[in-house]
Amino acid sequence: MSGEVPPKSNNVLNSIRAKILSGGFLVAVGLFAYAQFFIPSQAGVIFKLQQGYALFAFGLLYLTLLISPLTLAFPKFPSAGLLKRGRRALGQLVFFYGALHGGIAFFGQLGGFAGVQFLDNTYRLAIILSFSALCILFLMTITSFDAAVARLTYRRWKLLHRLVYVAGVFLLMHAWMLGSHFADRFGLFMSGMYVALAFLISLEANRFDIFLREKQVYNGPVRIFFSLVTGLFLAFFIWLAVMHGVAVKEGLV
Amino acid sequence: MKKLIAILSVVCVFGLSIPHQTQAHVLKSEGTVGAVLHILPQDDPAAGEATTLVLSFKDTAEKMRLQECDCTLSLKRSGETISTVQLEDDAVARSVQRGTAVVTFPETGVYELIVEGSPTSGESFSPFLLEYSIRVARNSGAMTKVPDEASTQKRSFLADGESQRTAAQFLLSLIGVVVMVGLPFVVMNNQKINN
């Protein structure tokens, strides 16, 4: 929305992207080695790996989505330029971890294509959503190089890479439907998740307001979407705090 | 390079600290019948604590009905049967064939879960046998063989633990409130400075 041109990296091997990618691969190998050596059952290894890779994919996707609105709202944010340059590598790692998670879960836990016939509709829908997201991430990964930007033209490339938001929503729905950590909607993990999501969505709303100003759609004194989103999340967190506060006070847990 | 190593170390510690959970959402099938196993709470069973096992069945021949199934669930460890319970039809879930059973794992370790089913009347569907592997990696703390006084202390400790958990949730909600109140001020202020 801010119309920024993707930063080019002249020396790929020494760039931040290369460092992020190599770090990501090392972490994936580290997790695999840890699971192999410290988990006694093979089924446990499969579960641990698919869950670990899913959490990393989700975390990295969050970080990838956060960088643009964060650096727009806070241009003097430390290492803002470095973060922007590393964004493409983070996106590539999201696909890498997502593919690992999907492959292990689908073929290792759900019996592959033969197992699909035994899954209920909720499960099938969750898998279709995540597979669609993975396809989007794949397209983004193979076009995440300077040559692809030149070949596609920047306008088309940007349009294609906007699909990351669709992928993000699909993955969130997938996790909401199947994720073990997402099962307790007001548990510790989800409480943290709501704070993280509220922060991201608020910054995106701020970004959207700036976009509206740039396009001369709305030039008023109030940032409509930012105010609306932060207000709604504020009400939600007050309600959540009251609910948890009452539970602690009354000893309901 | 030092920064990279430091970041990698933090990430690895995070990765290794992911809770040890069991292998949930596993599909097993035999013939035309398949079932996905879910474990409550949060796919993370604890030894010494009641754990609900949920099995979502699907028969591709559409002949199997849980009401007409003599379905048993056996919990084994190293080939020795620990308990056998009847699978109950979850009447709430009308859209899917969902059976539940409550079991208690005596201690941490790897267990085999055997689900056997056969029709109660006639030959409506073929008998099936599904085998799952479950790993219990944590203790609830509420073990049975504990002296009374210690047991009371342990229960009290557990209650404190739960309170702390909810207190952490309360704290996170407050952080959410602070972020949502503070963010507009910080962003607006930042905008003024940049303008």
Side-chain angles (χ1 to χ4, degrees):
Chain A
M1 279 168 216
S2 55
E4 64 206 90
V5 177
K8 289 185 179 182
S9 53
N10 294 327
N11 190 344
V12 174
L13 285 177
N14 290 327
S15 68
I16 181 71
R17 284 161 57 188
K19 286 176 184 168
I20 289 173
L21 283 175
S22 49
F25 291 133
L26 281 177
V27 168
V29 173
L31 267 178
F32 180 79
Y34 167 78
Q36 286 292 341
F37 287 116
F38 293 101
I39 297 177
S41 69
Q42 190 55 33
V45 171
I46 289 172
F47 180 74
K48 178 80 174 176
L49 284 177
Q50 69 86 5
Q51 195 182 47
Y53 291 146
L55 284 175
F56 273 108
F58 216 78
L60 289 169
L61 178 66
Y62 179 80
L63 199 60
T64 312
L65 292 176
L66 186 66
I67 290 171
S68 281
L70 185 75
T71 51
L72 186 70
F74 307 101
K76 289 178 182 169
F77 190 82
S79 310
L82 204 65
L83 286 172
K84 280 184 182 176
R85 282 204 299 278
R87 201 170 36 185
R88 277 199 247 171
L90 289 173
Q92 287 159 354
L93 280 182
V94 174
F95 171 71
F96 173 64
Y97 280 111
L100 284 175
H101 160 77
I104 293 171
F106 187 70
F107 295 103
Q109 288 187 293
L110 299 177
F113 294 103
V116 173
Q117 59 182 326
F118 296 112
L119 300 176
D120 62 39
N121 289 339
T122 309
Y123 230 105
R124 286 180 187 175
L125 178 63
I127 290 172
I128 289 168
L129 286 170
S130 60
F131 182 70
S132 307
L134 203 60
C135 289
I136 291 171
L137 290 170
F138 173 70
L139 286 177
M140 290 176 65
T141 301
I142 58 168
T143 57
S144 63
F145 303 96
D146 294 341
V149 183
R151 205 183 170 104
L152 282 171
T153 72
Y154 177 65
R155 198 168 166 272
R156 283 184 198 155
W157 181 85
K158 194 73 185 168
L159 204 64
L160 175 69
H161 281 243
R162 287 256 181 271
L163 289 176
V164 70
Y165 296 103
V166 179
V169 172
F170 282 1
L171 288 178
L172 196 61
M173 287 167 76
H174 169 83
W176 184 267
M177 291 161 96
L178 298 185
S180 306
H181 289 90
F182 287 70
D184 186 358
R185 305 294 194 215
F186 298 105
L188 202 57
F189 180 83
M190 285 307 287
S191 297
M193 177 69 94
Y194 293 140
V195 176
L197 271 180
F199 186 64
L200 174 65
I201 295 170
S202 299
L203 289 179
E204 281 291 359
N206 176 56
R207 196 179 172 203
F208 191 64
D209 281 330
I210 292 171
F211 169 75
L212 291 181
R213 268 168 205 241
E214 279 177 2
K215 296 286 173 190
Q216 305 283 323
V217 176
Y218 175 74
N219 257 330
V222 181
R223 294 188 183 194
I224 298 176
F225 287 97
F226 186 51
S227 309
L228 190 71
V229 168
T230 48
L232 282 174
F233 275 120
L234 179 62
F236 171 70
F237 284 119
I238 289 172
W239 172 75
L240 209 60
V242 169
M243 206 177 74
H244 290 317
V246 168
V248 173
K249 195 181 171 191
E250 300 293 324
L252 296 176
V253 288
Chain B
M1 194 61 191
K2 280 180 185 172
K3 273 186 185 174
L4 180 67
I5 291 169
I7 292 168
L8 277 179
S9 308
V10 171
V11 170
C12 279
V13 167
F14 169 73
L16 302 185
S17 65
I18 296 166
H20 288 258
Q21 294 185 334
T22 185
Q23 44 292 335
H25 298 206
V26 179
L27 170 76
K28 297 286 176 184
S29 63
E30 190 186 16
T32 61
V33 179
V36 178
L37 170 69
H38 308 260
I39 298 170
L40 303 174
Q42 286 193 298
D43 298 324
D44 187 17
E49 193 177 86
T51 301
T52 306
L53 304 173
V54 183
L55 285 146
S56 299
F57 286 94
K58 183 146 186 182
D59 179 10
T60 53
E62 296 185 350
K63 287 179 180 173
M64 187 209 158
R65 297 280 176 274
L66 267 177
Q67 299 92 324
E68 298 159 13
C69 176
D70 177 22
C71 293
T72 58
L73 193 146
S74 305
L75 200 60
K76 293 185 176 184
R77 192 172 186 197
S78 307
E80 188 187 331
T81 304
I82 294 164
S83 67
T84 300
V85 289
Q86 199 75 24
L87 204 61
E88 288 176 21
D89 179 23
D90 183 356
V92 180
R94 286 176 189 168
S95 56
V96 286
Q97 300 282 319
R98 189 175 289 169
T100 60
V102 178
V103 295
T104 302
F105 297 97
E107 54 191 39
T108 57
V110 180
Y111 293 83
E112 297 111 62
L113 184 73
I114 315 288
V115 181
E116 285 179 276
S118 55
T120 48
S121 58
E123 297 290 317
S124 59
F125 63 90
S126 307
F128 60 86
L129 189 146
L130 310 172
E131 287 183 60
Y132 299 85
S133 172
I134 296 180
R135 180 169 170 259
V136 181
R138 68 181 177 99
N139 281 303
S140 73
M143 301 300 285
T144 46
K145 291 176 184 174
V146 184
D148 280 345
E149 197 179 336
S151 171
T152 312
Q153 281 173 358
K154 239 171 191 176
R155 273 200 296 275
S156 157
F157 172 76
L158 268 179
D160 282 352
E162 280 297 304
S163 288
Q164 280 166 5
R165 189 171 167 270
T166 312
Q169 288 165 242
F170 175 65
L171 192 68
L172 275 170
S173 312
L174 282 186
I175 290 171
V177 172
V178 170
V179 169
M180 287 303 107
V181 170
L183 195 62
F185 286 105
V186 178
V187 169
M188 299 294 183
N189 195 36
N190 211 276
Q191 186 75 19
K192 276 179 195 164
I193 291 166
N194 287 312
N195 285 340

